[in-house]
Amino acid sequence: MRRFVIIGLAVSLFFLGAYSSFRNSQLGSCLAYAFGGFREVAQDRSERFLGKVHEDIARCRGGEAAVTWRATPWVDWQQYRATGAQDSRSAGLLSRLGFLSPNSRGIAGALLDMEYQRIELLKFNLFDNSGTFEEYIRGRGETAGSAIRVWPQFRLPSGHPSYSNVGSDGRQRCRGELVRFRHLTGLCNDIDNPLMGSTDQPFARNSQFDATFPDLGKNQIVKNRHGERLGLLKPDPQVISRRLFSRAQTPNNNCNDGHGLPGYTPSANCDYQKAPVLNVLAAFWIQFMTHDWFSHLDEGHNQSESMMMGCSTRRVDGAVKPLTGKEIRQLGCRPEDRIDKSDVAEDSPPASFATGNTTYLTRAHKTTLNRVTAWWDASQIYGYNETSRRRVRRDPRDPARLLLVFGDSPTKAAVGYLPVLRPSDPMNPQWSGQESVAFPDNWNVGLSFFHNIFAREHNIFVEVFRRQAATTPEGDSGLRNPAMPEVVIRYKDITSDELFDVARLVIAAEIAKIHTIEWTPQLLYNEPVYLAMNANWSGLLARHALVADALEKVLAGLGKSQSGKEATAWTSAFAAGPGIFGLSNDQPDVNGGINHFGSPFNFPEEFVTVYRLHPMVPDLLELREWQNDPNVIRQKLPMIETLRGKATQAIQQYGLANWALSMGRQRLGQLTLQNHPMFLQNLSMPRLKSATGKIDVPALDIIRDRERGVPRYNEFRRQYGLKQLTRFDDFIDPRVPKDSAARREQQRLVGVLRDVYGQHRCDASKVITKAQLNDDKSAINDCLGHASSSMVDNIEDVDTVIGWLAEFARPHGFAISETQFQVFILNASRRLFSDRFLTSSFRPEFYTHLGVRWVIENGPDGRIMEKGKINGHEMEVSPLKRLLLRTLPELAAELDLVVNVFDPWARDRGEYYSLQWKPRPGAETDEAFKR
Ligand code: HEM
C-alpha cells in the first residue's frame, strides 16, 4: 500500500511538474489565455486596464522578456514579439504559422491593448468645460449621458449674425451656406451644435475636474498628495530649466551660445541629442499642426499684466532657500525676466452636484479658451476669425487662388512665395517683415516652409480643377448646394469663391492624411502603430484584418458593460471597422457619421501639454544645396537668425527646395532631458518691456502648465489609465545593461531629479488619489508602497513635461513617451470622429469628384506605388512626397529614395523598422553620418 502511495505521489509530481512547465511554456500560456476569454471593458475607473496583462498573456505574446517586464510601470505591449526591429521577430518554422505565429500574436496583442486603452479613455477621460458635464454623468431622461448628441450650450446666441439662419429660439440646425464648406470660425461643423469646436470655445479636460489645479490645494486629497510643496514658481521653473533642460556643450565646439560662427561657417557645432529616425521637417510640421488645432494666445498676446518667472529659489534638504548671486551666475538664469500672465476665461468657484455617494464639480477650477477653431480645418492657413482672415491674401487675377509673388509680382500657380505683411495688415510689431498668414506667431523657417508649400498646393489644385472645367465645362463637378441638392453643379458653374472653399477642404483633408499615415507612423516607428494609423485612416477603403479583429474583441467586452443605449451609440461609431475617415459617407445624413461619445469636442488642456515639443528644435540648421552635391553641409545657420521676419528672408534667399533638402536630411532633437535648444532659453521678446527683454521658453512651458492646472506627472498617468511610478529610479530603463554608459547617464539624471524635486517623510494614512487603487484594492497613499514614515521621492510633484521627457523606457521607435502617446490615442481618434468633413461629409457634394479623388489618391495622377516592399508592406508613394514632387519638382532625384518625408532623407532604412543611422547608397560622403 505504502508503495502505491509513493508511486502515486511520484506520478502526480511528474505530471504536476510537466503540467507546470507546459503551463509556463508559450503554448501553454496561449491556451490558458485563450480559454480565459477576453477581459471586459472596465465598469469603474478603479478596474481600468493600465496596459498591464496577465502573466499567461504576456508569455503568449512576448515570451519571458514580456513576463519580466510586467514588474515595471510601463505598458507591456512594447515587449511583445515583432513590435520592435528585426531582432524582435521570431524566425523559423513557428513564424510561418500565419495568424497563430508568435509574431502575429505579438502584433495582434499590441493592437488589442491599444484598443482597450482607446475605449477606456473614451469612457473615463472626457470632461467638457462648457457646462454639459452634469448631463454627461446623470444622463438626460431616458438617454445615457454618453449617448447625448445635442447640447443647448452650443446654440448660437440671439445676437449672433447667423441666429435666424439656424432656427432662432426653436430647434437649431445649420443649413444653407453655413453647412457647405468649412466656416471661418468653425461654426456648423456639427450641424446640430453650431458652436461646437468654433473659435473661442473653452478647452476641455481629460482629467477629473477635482484633480486639476493641484497648486491651489482645493481638496484634502490634493493636499495629501503634495503637502505645501507646490506653487506657480515652486519648484523654481528657471532652475528646473537650467538643470533639467539645458543642452550640454563640448568645450570649444564654436556653438557660441547658439550663434555659431561668423559667416555661418560649417565648422561650428551646437551639440544636441538627435532622434534616430526623424528629421527637422517633422519638428516644424507638428508646430504647423498645433497652430491649426489650438492656441491659448490671442494675436500673440496673453493678459496685459506680467509676472516673475523664477530664478529665485532652490531646495536644500527639504527647505526652499533663496539662490545666491553665485548660484544664479552658475545656473545662467535671469531673475529679472518677466512674462505676461496666461488668459483665464472663468475662475469663479465651480458649482458641484451629487449622484449616489459621489460629488462632482461641473467644470475645472479655472477655464481657458481655445483662440482658434478646434477642427482640423487648416485654419492656420485660411483663418479662424475676421482679424486672421484679413491676413489671408487671395490672388486678384483668380480669387480661387492664394496670392503667391516673386519680388512684388504675382506668379504662376506652383511657384512664388507668400507675400509679406503690409503695414495696414493686423499684426504685432514683432511680426513685421514676415509672410502674411492667418497664424503668424512664433514664426520661423520651418513654418514658413510649410505655409508656402501648402499655398502652392492650393493653387495647383485650383489650376487642375480649372483645366478640368475647361475640358468638360458641362460635366457634373459633384458639388451640390444643400439648398437645392437635386441641381447638378457643372464645372463651368462653379464660382471662384466656391472653388477656393473646395480647395480649403481638400488641403485640410490632405494635411490630416499626411499627419495620420505619414508623420505619426514615423514618430512612433513600429509595426502595430503603422497598422493602427493606416486602419484609422483607411476605414473608407479597406479593413485591416488584425486591427478589425482587435476592435471586435474589445467591442464584445463593451456590450456587456454598458447600458443598451450607450452600447448602441458606441458600437455604431465603430461599426465600419477600425476606420474613421469617411465613416458613413454613403448614408443620406451628411451629419450622421460623427460621434462625440457624449462629450462635445474640443481639445483638452492636457493635449497642449504633450505637444510642448521644444527639444525637437536644433540650435544650428545645416544648409545644403540640391544642385551642388547634397551631401555637403555648406553653412550652419543659427535658428535665432531665422525667426520672424528673418525666416522670410532666409526662405527666399536659399529657396524652398534647398530648405526642404536641408531640413529633410538633418535629424531633429530627441525628446529627453537636458536637450532643449539654447536659443529658446534666451529668446528675446521686445514686447514685454522687461529689464532683460528675454524669456526662457522651456521654463515658461512649466509655468503655463501650472497656471492652467495640468495635474503633475504621476497623477497625470493615473488619470489616463497608466501605472504610477513610486520613485525616481523607476524612470531607468531596465533593458539598458547595468554597467553601460547609457545606464550611468540615466542614473545621473535621476540624481538631478531628486536634487531638484527632493524627498519627504511619507505618511501612509494620507490617501493621495481617487483615480486608481493599489493592486490589492487598497487606497493609494503618500508612501506609494514604501514603509510609513520612510523618506520617499517627491515623485508626485514632478511637472508633467519633465516626467514624460524622463521616460527612458519607450516602445521601439517611439520619439515620444508612452504617456504622451496615451493622450494621442484618445484625442487623435476624437478629432476624426467628431469632424463631419472627415467622416460623413467627405463626399463629392462638398469636395467635388476631383477633390475626393485628390485626397484618396494623393493628387491628380491616380495611385502610384513605391517600388518593392517597405517593412513588409506594399505602400503607395506617401502623400507628402507626392505633394513635394508637385510643388518642388526640382527635388525629384533627391526624393526618389525617400519613402517617408519625415525620415532623414539620406538614411538607409534597412530592414524591418531599423533605427540605425547609416547612409543609403549615394550618401556615403554625407557629413551627417560622420557624427
Ligand atoms: C523657433 C521655434 C519656436 C519658437 C520661437 C517657439 C516659441 C514659443 C513661445 C514663446 C511659447 C509660449 C507662449 C506663451 O504661453 O506665452 C510657445 C508655446 C508653445 N510651443 Fe513653441 N516655439 C517654437 C517651436 C515649437 C515647436 C517645434 C513646437 C512643437 C509642437 C512648439 C509647441 C508649442 C506649444 C504646444 C506651445 C503652447 C501653446 C499654447 O499654449 O497654446 N513650439 N512656443
Side-chain angles (χ1 to χ4, degrees):
M1 179 66 188
R2 209 165 141 246
R3 238 178 57 206
F4 281 124
V5 172
I6 290 172
I7 291 171
L9 256 176
V11 171
S12 313
L13 277 175
F14 172 79
F15 278 110
L16 263 179
Y19 171 74
S20 99
S21 54
F22 171 72
R23 182 77 175 67
N24 288 334
S25 71
Q26 280 189 41
L27 184 58
S29 293
C30 290
L31 283 176
Y33 155 40
F35 285 116
F38 294 95
R39 66 185 295 279
E40 284 187 13
V41 171
Q43 306 254 21
D44 183 85
R45 67 178 62 247
S46 62
E47 300 162 355
R48 283 178 79 160
F49 168 50
L50 309 187
K52 308 300 288 181
V53 297
H54 186 273
E55 183 179 335
D56 286 326
I57 301 179
R59 184 173 292 109
C60 175
R61 295 173 178 172
E64 291 315 307
V67 174
T68 315
W69 192 256
R70 292 170 63 250
T72 73
W74 316 112
V75 292
D76 283 341
W77 69 258
Q78 59 183 296
Q79 289 295 88
Y80 298 168
R81 291 239 196 280
T83 61
Q86 183 63 19
D87 59 1
S88 71
R89 297 216 281 189
S90 77
L93 269 183
L94 282 180
S95 65
R96 300 203 197 122
L97 283 176
F99 203 69
L100 289 176
S101 76
N103 294 337
S104 291
R105 292 199 307 259
I107 293 167
L111 288 166
L112 192 59
D113 287 5
M114 286 183 214
E115 205 52 71
Y116 274 116
Q117 296 279 28
R118 175 158 72 138
I119 301 274
E120 293 194 357
L121 285 161
L122 284 167
K123 187 168 176 185
F124 295 115
N125 288 85
L126 301 184
F127 298 90
D128 174 48
N129 253 329
S130 45
T132 68
F133 186 64
E134 188 168 350
E135 279 198 329
Y136 178 71
I137 295 296
R138 290 185 193 278
R140 185 189 292 159
E142 293 290 290
T143 310
S146 59
I148 297 175
R149 300 181 73 98
V150 182
W151 298 269
Q153 288 80 358
F154 295 96
R155 294 171 61 87
L156 292 188
S158 59
H160 195 282
S162 299
Y163 182 64
S164 57
N165 296 343
V166 297
S168 310
D169 58 356
R171 180 188 172 201
Q172 288 197 347
R173 192 150 222 255
C174 300
R175 53 174 185 251
E177 289 302 311
L178 284 172
V179 303
R180 291 193 73 186
F181 300 114
R182 290 193 177 274
H183 188 276
L184 174 65
T185 60
L187 288 186
C188 292
N189 188 315
D190 180 340
I191 289 174
D192 294 318
N193 296 285
L195 277 180
M196 190 194 296
S198 64
T199 303
D200 291 337
Q201 291 294 311
F203 279 106
R205 307 293 314 211
N206 282 165
S207 314
Q208 290 166 294
F209 291 138
D210 53 10
T212 63
F213 293 89
D215 302 23
L216 301 181
K218 289 283 187 187
N219 57 56
Q220 195 54 50
I221 290 210
V222 170
K223 287 184 193 155
N224 288 350
R225 190 187 313 139
H226 301 291
E228 299 291 316
R229 298 188 300 270
L230 300 192
L232 187 61
L233 299 180
K234 236 168 56 175
D236 191 301
Q238 278 199 59
V239 174
I240 292 178
S241 167
R242 301 293 158 161
R243 299 210 55 201
L244 286 161
F245 286 157
S246 297
R247 282 177 180 158
Q249 294 300 319
T250 317
N252 306 322
N253 64 355
N254 291 321
C255 175
N256 293 324
D257 292 337
H259 288 92
L261 284 169
Y264 310 138
T265 317
S267 53
N269 195 26
C270 288
D271 294 328
Y272 67 106
Q273 297 174 64
K274 302 170 183 90
V277 297
L278 273 178
N279 61 23
V280 172
L281 285 173
F284 293 117
W285 171 268
I286 189 58
Q287 192 186 19
F288 179 58
M289 287 300 90
T290 62
H291 291 175
D292 181 353
W293 303 329
F294 57 77
S295 171
H296 282 95
L297 283 77
D298 187 13
E299 289 290 287
H301 285 288
N302 302 288
Q303 287 186 45
S304 49
E305 201 184 332
S306 72
M307 60 183 180
M308 295 170 68
M309 296 187 74
C311 186
S312 52
T313 60
R314 69 185 191 100
R315 284 182 74 88
V316 186
D317 297 332
V320 177
K321 297 261 168 65
L323 287 176
T324 63
K326 186 173 165 207
E327 285 166 336
I328 290 173
R329 276 191 303 282
Q330 274 170 352
L331 286 165
C333 59
R334 295 177 299 267
E336 298 82 20
D337 280 9
R338 294 284 179 281
I339 187 67
D340 36 23
K341 290 184 176 170
S342 175
D343 272 343
V344 177
E346 296 242 30
D347 57 2
S348 57
S352 57
F353 65 96
T355 65
N357 295 330
T358 317
T359 302
Y360 298 90
L361 298 178
T362 50
R363 61 162 168 79
H365 299 288
K366 299 182 193 178
T367 63
T368 59
L369 301 182
N370 188 352
R371 298 302 197 167
V372 297
T373 70
W375 305 117
W376 219 342
D377 57 358
S379 59
Q380 79 279 40
I381 300 175
Y382 297 99
Y384 38 88
N385 58 20
E386 280 304 332
T387 309
S388 58
R389 175 156 57 191
R390 283 174 52 203
R391 290 189 287 264
V392 181
R393 307 263 300 275
R394 287 165 67 170
D395 190 334
R397 297 166 311 163
D398 178 354
R401 284 194 201 167
L402 288 163
L403 179 61
L404 290 173
V405 295
F406 200 79
D408 284 334
S409 338
T411 63
K412 288 195 296 188
V415 288
Y417 294 89
L418 286 160
V420 168
L421 281 163
R422 299 163 298 192
S424 57
D425 289 324
M427 66 159 156
N428 276 339
Q430 71 193 40
W431 299 340
S432 159
Q434 64 184 57
E435 289 101 318
S436 192
V437 299
F439 195 105
D441 209 23
N442 297 329
W443 197 246
N444 57 54
V445 273
L447 291 174
S448 169
F449 174 79
F450 282 116
H451 275 271
N452 274 296
I453 61 160
F454 277 98
R456 288 184 178 190
E457 173 75 351
H458 174 109
N459 286 1
I460 294 173
F461 177 80
V462 171
E463 193 172 87
V464 174
F465 192 94
R466 292 242 186 261
R467 246 186 276 139
Q468 174 81 44
T471 325
T472 56
E474 303 292 331
D476 178 358
S477 68
L479 194 68
R480 295 291 182 272
N481 186 337
M484 300 166 287
E486 65 293 341
V487 176
V488 169
I489 301 183
R490 294 165 301 179
Y491 278 100
K492 70 174 194 189
D493 300 330
I494 290 191
T495 66
S496 293
D497 281 348
E498 285 171 338
L499 184 50
F500 180 85
D501 282 325
V502 167
R504 176 186 183 164
L505 276 171
V506 170
I507 294 291
E510 257 188 306
I511 286 177
K513 183 173 187 183
I514 292 167
H515 188 84
T516 308
I517 65 163
E518 191 162 357
W519 185 82
T520 310
Q522 195 62 35
L523 179 89
L524 311 164
Y525 192 53
N526 62 42
E527 177 73 355
V529 174
Y530 171 83
L531 289 178
M533 296 315 294
N534 276 275
N536 244 6
W537 186 260
S538 57
L540 184 62
L541 307 163
R543 283 169 67 88
H544 283 251
L546 283 179
V547 191
D549 186 57
L551 184 64
E552 269 157 31
K553 288 183 175 122
V554 180
L555 283 181
L558 182 73
K560 289 183 224 157
S561 60
Q562 304 278 322
S563 83
K565 285 219 163 96
E566 211 174 1
T568 316
W570 283 57
T571 314
S572 73
F574 291 100
I580 308 173
F581 185 76
L583 193 68
S584 301
N585 76 339
D586 52 351
Q587 306 295 314
D589 182 0
V590 298
N591 205 40
I594 52 172
N595 199 311
H596 313 302
F597 302 97
S599 193
F601 176 69
N602 210 309
F603 289 108
E605 204 74 66
E606 293 85 351
F607 190 69
V608 178
T609 300
V610 298
Y611 279 104
R612 296 187 180 280
L613 304 180
H614 291 124
M616 284 184 161
V617 186
D619 280 290
L620 298 178
L621 292 170
E622 300 173 352
L623 262 178
R624 299 162 187 267
E625 293 172 6
W626 66 273
Q627 282 170 304
N628 197 7
D629 192 354
N631 290 330
V632 178
I633 296 169
R634 310 262 154 203
Q635 290 190 329
K636 290 215 183 136
L637 209 58
M639 259 314 294
I640 196 82
E641 295 299 331
T642 57
L643 300 183
R644 303 170 187 151
K646 288 183 182 170
T648 311
Q649 285 167 19
I651 280 283
Q652 299 194 3
Q653 185 180 346
Y654 298 102
L656 285 174
N658 283 334
W659 276 110
L661 167 74
S662 305
M663 294 192 282
R665 284 213 179 186
Q666 186 175 355
R667 282 169 293 172
L668 58 66
Q670 204 158 9
L671 291 164
T672 188
L673 291 175
Q674 298 191 339
N675 202 29
H676 270 76
M678 240 176 287
F679 82 93
L680 279 182
Q681 289 179 314
N682 305 301
L683 189 69
S684 76
M685 278 277 188
R687 75 176 161 84
L688 295 171
K689 302 192 175 56
S690 61
T692 60
K694 288 187 176 177
I695 57 166
D696 178 332
V697 178
L700 185 58
D701 279 333
I702 302 273
I703 296 174
R704 291 293 189 228
D705 277 358
R706 293 180 185 172
E707 277 185 290
R708 295 169 191 152
V710 175
R712 299 291 169 106
Y713 175 72
N714 228 19
E715 177 66 9
F716 189 97
R717 279 180 63 88
R718 288 188 292 255
Q719 287 285 332
Y720 272 97
L722 292 169
K723 277 276 209 187
Q724 65 184 14
L725 278 64
T726 64
R727 52 193 183 132
F728 294 128
D729 302 74
D730 286 342
F731 281 119
I732 294 170
D733 184 347
R735 288 168 297 202
V736 175
K738 286 232 159 32
D739 50 0
S740 63
R743 179 75 158 221
R744 283 192 291 281
E745 177 61 2
Q746 293 183 10
Q747 284 164 336
R748 181 186 73 77
L749 287 165
V750 161
V752 184
L753 280 170
R754 192 166 285 128
D755 202 34
V756 170
Y757 285 96
Q759 295 186 310
H760 72 281
R761 197 163 293 288
C762 73
D763 177 349
S765 70
K766 290 182 174 170
V767 175
I768 62 161
T769 184
K770 289 200 292 188
Q772 290 183 18
L773 297 174
N774 287 314
D775 292 345
D776 64 4
K777 301 293 170 210
S778 61
I780 294 176
N781 67 51
D782 183 39
C783 292
L784 294 170
H786 304 287
S788 194
S789 303
S790 61
M791 288 301 281
V792 295
D793 288 337
N794 292 338
I795 183 86
E796 293 299 332
D797 300 350
V798 170
D799 292 274
T800 296
V801 170
I802 296 285
W804 52 252
L805 286 173
E807 284 180 34
F808 303 117
R810 297 179 187 186
H812 176 85
F814 263 44
I816 57 166
S817 65
E818 66 168 44
T819 306
Q820 290 166 288
F821 179 59
Q822 189 79 347
V823 180
F824 296 175
I825 294 182
L826 174 58
N827 294 289
S829 305
R830 242 167 98 68
R831 70 179 163 219
L832 293 177
F833 268 129
S834 282
D835 190 329
R836 172 167 65 92
F837 289 108
L838 299 177
T839 51
S840 38
S841 291
F842 178 72
R843 47 173 97 196
E845 290 91 322
F846 297 98
Y847 281 74
T848 70
H849 290 306
L850 177 69
V852 166
R853 246 191 20 245
W854 195 288
V855 176
I856 293 180
E857 297 178 353
N858 299 331
D861 312 314
R863 284 176 197 283
I864 303 178
M865 301 304 288
E866 278 294 350
K867 296 180 273 287
K869 284 194 171 181
I870 289 127
N871 294 326
H873 301 283
E874 281 173 358
M875 266 174 67
E876 283 183 48
V877 174
S878 79
L880 186 53
K881 176 167 164 181
R882 295 277 302 274
L883 191 150
L884 289 185
L885 287 168
R886 280 191 292 277
T887 52
L888 302 171
E890 60 271 42
L891 287 181
E894 173 72 20
L895 286 169
D896 188 42
L897 292 173
V898 171
V899 169
N900 184 311
V901 171
F902 301 112
D903 198 341
W905 289 6
R907 184 178 87 95
D908 184 340
R909 283 168 67 95
E911 54 185 346
Y912 196 73
Y913 298 99
S914 158
L915 306 182
Q916 274 194 325
W917 183 238
K918 63 174 194 193
R920 62 157 167 75
E924 291 84 356
T925 58
D926 186 331
E927 294 157 42
F929 293 92
K930 304 207 173 96
R931 281 173 279 121

Coordinates of all heavy atoms in Angstrom, one line a residue, residues 878-915:
S878 N 4.0 58.2 -50.6 CA 3.4 58.9 -49.5 C 2.7 60.2 -49.9 O 3.2 60.8 -50.9 CB 4.4 59.1 -48.4 OG 5.2 60.3 -48.7
P879 N 1.7 60.6 -49.2 CA 1.0 61.9 -49.6 C 1.9 63.1 -49.6 O 1.8 64.0 -50.5 CB -0.1 62.0 -48.6 CG 0.1 61.0 -47.5 CD 1.0 60.0 -48.1
L880 N 2.8 63.2 -48.6 CA 3.7 64.4 -48.6 C 4.7 64.4 -49.7 O 5.1 65.4 -50.3 CB 4.3 64.7 -47.2 CG 5.1 66.0 -47.1 CD1 4.2 67.2 -47.5 CD2 5.6 66.1 -45.6
K881 N 5.2 63.2 -50.0 CA 6.2 63.0 -51.1 C 5.6 63.5 -52.4 O 6.1 64.2 -53.2 CB 6.7 61.6 -51.1 CG 7.7 61.3 -52.3 CD 8.4 60.0 -52.1 CE 9.0 59.5 -53.4 NZ 9.7 58.2 -53.2
R882 N 4.3 63.0 -52.6 CA 3.6 63.4 -53.9 C 3.5 64.9 -53.9 O 3.6 65.5 -55.0 CB 2.3 62.7 -53.9 CG 2.3 61.2 -54.1 CD 2.5 60.7 -55.5 NE 1.4 61.2 -56.4 CZ 0.3 60.6 -56.6 NH1 0.0 59.5 -56.0 NH2 -0.6 61.1 -57.5
L883 N 3.1 65.5 -52.8 CA 2.9 66.9 -52.7 C 4.2 67.7 -53.0 O 4.2 68.7 -53.8 CB 2.3 67.3 -51.3 CG 1.8 68.7 -51.1 CD1 0.7 68.7 -50.1 CD2 2.9 69.7 -50.7
L884 N 5.3 67.2 -52.4 CA 6.6 67.9 -52.7 C 7.0 67.7 -54.2 O 7.6 68.6 -54.8 CB 7.7 67.3 -51.8 CG 7.6 67.6 -50.3 CD1 8.8 67.1 -49.6 CD2 7.5 69.1 -50.1
L885 N 6.7 66.6 -54.7 CA 7.0 66.4 -56.2 C 6.3 67.4 -57.0 O 6.7 67.8 -58.1 CB 6.8 64.9 -56.6 CG 7.8 63.9 -56.1 CD1 7.3 62.5 -56.3 CD2 9.1 64.1 -56.7
R886 N 5.1 67.7 -56.6 CA 4.3 68.7 -57.3 C 4.8 70.1 -57.1 O 4.8 70.9 -58.0 CB 2.8 68.7 -56.9 CG 2.0 67.6 -57.5 CD 0.5 67.7 -57.3 NE 0.1 67.6 -55.9 CZ -0.1 66.4 -55.3 NH1 0.0 65.3 -56.0 NH2 -0.5 66.4 -54.0
T887 N 5.1 70.4 -55.8 CA 5.4 71.8 -55.5 C 6.9 72.2 -55.7 O 7.2 73.3 -55.9 CB 5.0 72.1 -54.0 OG1 5.6 71.2 -53.2 CG2 3.5 72.1 -53.9
L888 N 7.7 71.1 -55.6 CA 9.2 71.3 -55.7 C 9.7 70.3 -56.7 O 10.5 69.4 -56.3 CB 9.9 71.2 -54.4 CG 9.4 72.2 -53.3 CD1 10.1 71.8 -51.9 CD2 9.8 73.6 -53.7
P889 N 9.3 70.3 -58.0 CA 9.7 69.2 -58.9 C 11.2 69.1 -59.0 O 11.7 68.0 -59.4 CB 9.0 69.6 -60.2 CG 8.5 71.0 -60.0 CD 8.4 71.3 -58.6
E890 N 11.9 70.1 -58.8 CA 13.4 70.1 -58.9 C 14.0 69.0 -57.9 O 15.2 68.6 -58.1 CB 14.0 71.4 -58.7 CG 13.8 72.1 -57.4 CD 12.6 73.0 -57.3 OE1 11.5 72.6 -57.8 OE2 12.6 74.1 -56.7
L891 N 13.2 68.6 -56.9 CA 13.8 67.6 -56.0 C 13.5 66.2 -56.3 O 13.8 65.3 -55.5 CB 13.2 67.9 -54.6 CG 13.7 69.2 -53.9 CD1 13.1 69.3 -52.5 CD2 15.2 69.1 -53.7
A892 N 13.0 66.0 -57.6 CA 12.6 64.6 -57.9 C 13.7 63.6 -57.7 O 13.5 62.5 -57.1 CB 12.2 64.6 -59.4
A893 N 15.0 63.9 -58.1 CA 16.1 62.9 -57.9 C 16.3 62.7 -56.4 O 16.5 61.5 -56.0 CB 17.3 63.4 -58.6
E894 N 16.4 63.7 -55.6 CA 16.6 63.6 -54.2 C 15.5 62.7 -53.5 O 15.7 61.9 -52.6 CB 16.7 64.9 -53.6 CG 16.8 65.0 -52.0 CD 18.2 64.5 -51.5 OE1 19.2 64.5 -52.3 OE2 18.2 64.1 -50.3
L895 N 14.3 63.0 -54.0 CA 13.1 62.3 -53.3 C 12.9 60.9 -53.8 O 12.2 60.1 -53.1 CB 11.8 63.1 -53.6 CG 11.7 64.4 -52.8 CD1 10.5 65.2 -53.4 CD2 11.4 64.1 -51.4
D896 N 13.6 60.5 -54.8 CA 13.4 59.2 -55.4 C 13.5 58.1 -54.3 O 12.7 57.2 -54.3 CB 14.4 58.9 -56.5 CG 14.1 57.7 -57.3 OD1 12.8 57.4 -57.5 OD2 15.0 56.9 -57.6
L897 N 14.5 58.1 -53.5 CA 14.7 57.1 -52.5 C 14.0 57.3 -51.2 O 14.1 56.6 -50.2 CB 16.2 56.8 -52.3 CG 16.9 56.2 -53.5 CD1 18.4 56.2 -53.3 CD2 16.4 54.8 -53.8
V898 N 13.3 58.5 -51.1 CA 12.6 58.8 -49.8 C 11.3 58.1 -49.8 O 10.5 58.1 -50.7 CB 12.4 60.3 -49.7 CG1 11.5 60.7 -48.6 CG2 13.7 61.1 -49.6
V899 N 11.0 57.4 -48.6 CA 9.8 56.7 -48.5 C 8.8 57.4 -47.6 O 7.6 57.5 -47.9 CB 10.0 55.3 -47.9 CG1 8.7 54.6 -47.5 CG2 10.8 54.4 -48.9
N900 N 9.4 58.0 -46.5 CA 8.5 58.8 -45.6 C 9.3 60.1 -45.5 O 10.5 60.2 -45.1 CB 8.4 58.1 -44.3 CG 7.5 58.9 -43.3 OD1 7.7 60.1 -43.2 ND2 6.6 58.2 -42.7
V901 N 8.6 61.2 -45.8 CA 9.3 62.5 -45.9 C 9.9 62.9 -44.5 O 10.8 63.8 -44.5 CB 8.3 63.6 -46.5 CG1 8.9 65.0 -46.4 CG2 8.0 63.2 -47.9
F902 N 9.4 62.3 -43.5 CA 9.9 62.7 -42.1 C 11.0 61.9 -41.6 O 11.5 62.1 -40.5 CB 8.7 62.7 -41.1 CG 7.6 63.7 -41.5 CD1 6.3 63.2 -41.9 CD2 7.8 65.0 -41.5 CE1 5.3 64.1 -42.3 CE2 6.8 65.9 -41.9 CZ 5.6 65.4 -42.3
D903 N 11.4 60.9 -42.4 CA 12.6 60.0 -42.1 C 13.8 60.8 -42.7 O 13.7 61.2 -43.9 CB 12.4 58.7 -42.7 CG 13.3 57.6 -42.1 OD1 14.3 58.0 -41.5 OD2 13.0 56.4 -42.3
P904 N 14.9 60.9 -42.0 CA 16.0 61.6 -42.6 C 16.3 61.1 -44.0 O 16.5 59.9 -44.2 CB 17.2 61.4 -41.6 CG 16.5 61.2 -40.3 CD 15.2 60.5 -40.6
W905 N 16.4 62.0 -45.0 CA 16.3 61.6 -46.4 C 17.5 60.7 -46.8 O 17.4 60.0 -47.8 CB 16.2 62.9 -47.2 CG 14.9 63.6 -47.2 CD1 13.9 63.3 -46.3 CD2 14.5 64.7 -47.9 NE1 12.8 64.1 -46.5 CE2 13.2 65.0 -47.5 CE3 15.0 65.4 -49.0 CZ2 12.4 66.0 -48.0 CZ3 14.3 66.5 -49.5 CH2 13.0 66.8 -49.1
A906 N 18.7 60.9 -46.2 CA 19.8 60.1 -46.7 C 20.0 58.8 -45.8 O 21.0 58.2 -46.0 CB 21.0 61.0 -46.7
R907 N 19.1 58.5 -44.9 CA 19.3 57.3 -44.1 C 18.9 56.1 -44.8 O 17.9 56.0 -45.6 CB 18.3 57.5 -42.8 CG 18.5 56.4 -41.8 CD 17.6 56.6 -40.6 NE 16.2 56.1 -40.8 CZ 15.8 54.9 -40.4 NH1 16.7 54.1 -39.8 NH2 14.6 54.5 -40.6
D908 N 19.7 55.1 -44.6 CA 19.4 53.7 -45.1 C 18.3 53.2 -44.2 O 18.6 52.9 -43.0 CB 20.6 52.9 -45.2 CG 20.4 51.5 -45.8 OD1 19.2 51.1 -45.8 OD2 21.3 50.9 -46.2
R909 N 17.1 52.9 -44.7 CA 16.1 52.4 -43.8 C 16.2 51.0 -43.3 O 15.6 50.5 -42.4 CB 14.7 52.6 -44.4 CG 14.2 54.1 -44.4 CD 13.0 54.3 -45.3 NE 11.8 53.6 -44.8 CZ 10.9 54.2 -44.1 NH1 11.0 55.4 -43.7 NH2 9.8 53.5 -43.8
G910 N 17.2 50.3 -44.0 CA 17.5 48.9 -43.5 C 16.3 48.0 -43.6 O 15.3 48.3 -44.4
E911 N 16.3 47.0 -42.8 CA 15.1 46.1 -42.8 C 14.2 46.5 -41.6 O 14.5 47.4 -40.9 CB 15.6 44.6 -42.7 CG 16.5 44.4 -41.5 CD 17.0 43.0 -41.4 OE1 16.5 42.1 -42.2 OE2 18.0 42.7 -40.7
Y912 N 13.2 45.7 -41.5 CA 12.1 45.9 -40.6 C 12.3 46.9 -39.4 O 13.0 46.6 -38.4 CB 11.8 44.5 -40.0 CG 10.5 44.4 -39.2 CD1 9.3 44.3 -39.9 CD2 10.4 44.2 -37.9 CE1 8.1 44.1 -39.3 CE2 9.3 44.1 -37.2 CZ 8.1 44.0 -37.9 OH 6.9 43.9 -37.2
Y913 N 11.8 48.1 -39.6 CA 11.8 49.1 -38.5 C 13.2 49.3 -37.9 O 13.3 49.5 -36.7 CB 10.7 48.9 -37.5 CG 9.4 48.9 -38.1 CD1 8.7 47.7 -38.4 CD2 8.7 50.1 -38.3 CE1 7.5 47.7 -39.0 CE2 7.5 50.1 -38.9 CZ 6.9 48.9 -39.3 OH 5.6 49.0 -39.9
S914 N 14.2 49.4 -38.7 CA 15.6 49.6 -38.2 C 15.7 51.1 -37.8 O 15.2 52.0 -38.4 CB 16.6 49.3 -39.3 OG 17.8 50.0 -39.1
L915 N 16.4 51.3 -36.7 CA 16.7 52.7 -36.2 C 18.1 53.1 -36.5 O 18.6 54.1 -36.0 CB 16.4 52.8 -34.7 CG 15.0 52.3 -34.2 CD1 14.9 52.5 -32.7 CD2 13.9 53.0 -34.9

